[in-house]
Amino acid sequence: MDDVRMVERVVDTDARDIKFQCKDVQVFYGEKHAIKDVSVDLLDKTVTAFIGPSGCGKSTFLRCLNRMNDTIGIARVQGRMLLDGEDIYDRRVDPVQLRARVGMVFQKPNPFPKSIYDNVAYGPRIHGLARNRAELDEIVEKALRGAALWNEVKDRLGETGTGLSGGQQQRLCIARAVATAPEVLLMDEPCSALDPIATAQVEELIDELRATFSVVIVTHSMQQAARVSQKTAFFHLGNLVEYGDTDDIFTRPRDPRTESYISGRIG
Amino acid sequence: MSPFWITIAILALAALGYLLGRSRSVRLAGGDTRALHSRPTYHGWHVALFTALPALVLLALARLLQAPGWLAPAALALGVAGLAVALSRTAPQFRARNVVEQVVRGILIVCSLIAIATTVAIVLSLVFESLRFFRMYPWQDFFFGTEWTPSFGGGSELGMLPLLWGTLYISLIALLVAVPVGLYAAIYMSEYATPRVRSVVKPAIEVLAGIPTIVYGLFALVTVGPLLRDWIAQPLGLGSSGSSVMTAGLVMGMMLIPFVSSLSDDIINAVPQSLRDGSLAMGSTHSETIRQVVLPAALPGIVGAVLLAASRAIGETMIVVLGAGAMARISPNPFEAMTTITVKIVGQLTGDNDFASPETLVAFALGLTLFVMTLGLNVLALYIVRKYREQYE
């Protein structure tokens, strides 16, 4: 039974388009060589998980995909990262516009100290996605539904986002990211601050988001990677050790380092 | 023996007590300090505190109450007695550490009580003197009178409205200068400046806070006042006075800039980086992030900072004396000389005073008014700042 599903998935992902094409990417933090020669193709409408021990560079690599590393003065990126064939580190690309296309959800829920409505409407307002209040209402509702939060908050959209529970806050942050209508959604350990129930809700949500976006998730939990992703990349000491279908990585890893990590011997 | 030498003697005795207590505890433990409940240092401090504290308190009381001379030597005797008692209590199982810590806690409590007691004493003295004033002069005329013409011969008009007007007018101008400049400086320092620039600019701005206000007053008198008169007031036909509300307000605003910028800078820095990241990650620019996320999050704290600056402005005296003059009047023209409550308090209390006349006592009523105003502002500011703190902790 499991084998049948696995085969389906493989065929499934092969048919997808490449969203992000990364070639020989190097990242330096000052003197430290944080990412070494990473080449990877991330697929559209697919959940890709980055796993690896702490400090292996997976978060760093994720933050390159929307140029959040630019906000850290000492970070330098070399190599090519193509989003739909266009180099995002090209001089003509405005990182601000890039980030509207590549949204991000952080490890710790970080709702703005504004109302729930204003949190979700923040991106659409900045980017002028709605022509009037009715359209904005519609976008907010759609985003909150998309983040499986609408039913819980629809009667209190005016209350502050920081008053929600941890899991609700994280879903609010996902709704906020979704409302900007990005093409790619990056998630940096989105469940590490959540309890198991909230984690399950968010994971379910990630699976639904796959229909619309390309999702890249960094996670410490191998179970989570196995549950939500179709593709998995294993990072170790700044190298991309192995990248492939999630089922392959977890059942028959090719590299001994991957094998020892998923069996719990390193990391 | 004079009290000074007695104090020295008591302190020397305490030092001796420290050494005795320490060595006695070691001896009682048979040289093995691990057998002691408290380390020898605590036994030493225990003896020293019991020697010095009661004796010094007695000495202070004797001075305060002007008790007969024999109390001073008695204090020394009390010190010796304390030393003996404490030494005799020293034993391996004696909990000297706990005793010393309790005494220290007591000292801390007394110190904070002194601060509170001072405030209470100040308020009481203001209230009683003000009550005396209001028995001689109707309160309606004081609070709602628009004439301020004190004359010690009698028949003075002591309406505080002209003074209140001057105070508020000057403070308003000062805040109009200090708040935008200070806030923008804070935004630059906390959001845009590189650490190296910040490490130079921030202390440089804070130097302003270290300048005595009388020096600002000189600056107003010698530089700003004539400049405003010659270049703005006279050409526009608004007046020919070197002292003006505008002069005092501008200079006071400069004085308040470091206040506003330093506090706002701390508050903006306290806004979690995760909020900035969240906003940037959604494709907003740095300045959109500042305007729409960072500043709204920091707003309560910034309001608190502004209110604290306002209460500084209201209580300021020297800049006003030298910058705005001493004319009590109500006028909308910012280039005319006016004066404030604080200046008039000084004015009423300098020279030969008759503390039974309303012209002198009015100073206390003015002081009380001022105190209530700044207290209100401070309480409001603290309330707002505290509410803000709850948001992130």
Side-chain angles (χ1 to χ4, degrees), chain A residues 164-186:
Chain A
L164 297 172
S165 75
Q168 288 174 325
Q169 286 190 14
Q170 192 61 303
R171 278 180 286 150
L172 178 62
C173 292
I174 294 175
R176 192 174 68 182
V178 167
T180 317
E183 299 158 34
V184 182
L185 203 53
L186 309 178

Side-chain angles (χ1 to χ4, degrees), chain A residues 68 71 96 99-100 102-104 106 110-114 122-123 126-127 176 180, chain B residues 274-275 277-286 288-289 292-293 296-297 391-392:
Chain A
M68 277 303 278
T71 59
V96 169
R99 290 182 201 135
V102 184
M104 188 161 191
F106 294 83
N110 56 351
F112 303 135
K114 299 170 181 280
Y122 182 82
I126 293 251
H127 299 295
R176 192 174 68 182
T180 317
Chain B
S274 66
L275 291 185
D277 285 347
S279 172
L280 290 175
M282 290 178 38
S284 51
T285 62
H286 198 158
E288 281 167 340
T289 301
Q292 307 208 15
V293 174
Q391 236 168 17
Y392 297 116

Side-chain angles (χ1 to χ4, degrees), chain B residues 232-267:
Chain B
I232 299 180
Q234 277 184 337
L236 293 178
L238 288 172
S240 57
S241 163
S243 320
S244 68
V245 167
M246 191 55 98
T247 309
L250 279 181
V251 175
M252 200 192 282
M254 290 174 211
M255 178 198 84
L256 292 177
I257 287 171
F259 236 95
V260 177
S261 76
S262 198
L263 282 173
S264 307
D265 180 47
D266 292 344
I267 290 156

